[in-house]
Amino acid sequence: MEGFIPMNTITTAQRISTSSDIDASIAATRRVHHLTAVARDAIDDPRSLDGDTLAKAVVKALYDAHPLIRFEDALELAVIVETPPVDSSTTEAIEYVVADICSHLDAWNRSEPPALPGQA
């Protein structure tokens, strides 16, 4: 069998890694959906707001509701968060902003509470 190259070269460690990636993706999607609902419920009449004002209202709503968003984070997010596309519905616009906020929180390690001693 000289020259034989096995076609299925995925190891158990790679499967676990892939499974963890899938679990993380599912958790991120659920977090965005949950925080979208939180923001939508917290904003009075979001349909009346333009994209930039809506984005800032979402930042404020999540700052008020999310214990891991620091005041400094909220100030930074209010400046860097992307304005949703003009042609999106209100729910889509809120979800777009929430997803952008979550990506920044992930980059800043603010999406998960810190581990307590002995939990890691």
Side-chain angles (χ1 to χ4, degrees):
M1 288 189 119
E2 190 172 322
F4 173 76
I5 300 173
M7 295 200 52
N8 186 0
T9 59
I10 297 174
T11 66
T12 302
Q14 288 170 322
R15 283 190 196 118
I16 291 171
S17 175
T18 303
S19 176
S20 295
D21 292 344
I22 292 170
D23 291 345
S25 177
I26 290 169
T29 300
R30 286 181 178 163
R31 181 173 57 243
V32 168
H33 287 156
H34 169 73
L35 293 175
T36 297
V38 168
R40 188 178 55 241
D41 291 344
I43 300 171
D44 292 328
D45 197 18
R47 290 185 187 107
S48 68
L49 304 176
D50 66 72
D52 190 51
T53 306
L54 179 64
K56 287 177 177 35
V58 170
V59 170
K60 181 180 181 330
L62 294 187
Y63 168 70
D64 291 343
H66 198 298
L68 298 178
I69 300 176
R70 300 174 184 166
F71 181 71
E72 298 82 15
D73 296 340
L75 293 175
E76 179 76 12
L77 288 167
V79 173
I80 65 173
V81 73
E82 292 186 26
T83 302
V86 176
D87 60 346
S88 56
S89 71
T90 303
T91 300
E92 290 170 340
I94 292 171
E95 186 171 338
Y96 180 89
V97 174
V98 169
D100 189 34
I101 290 170
C102 286
S103 70
H104 290 293
L105 293 175
D106 287 343
W108 300 338
N109 293 317
R110 303 276 199 286
S111 58
E112 298 294 328
L116 296 173
Q119 277 189 330

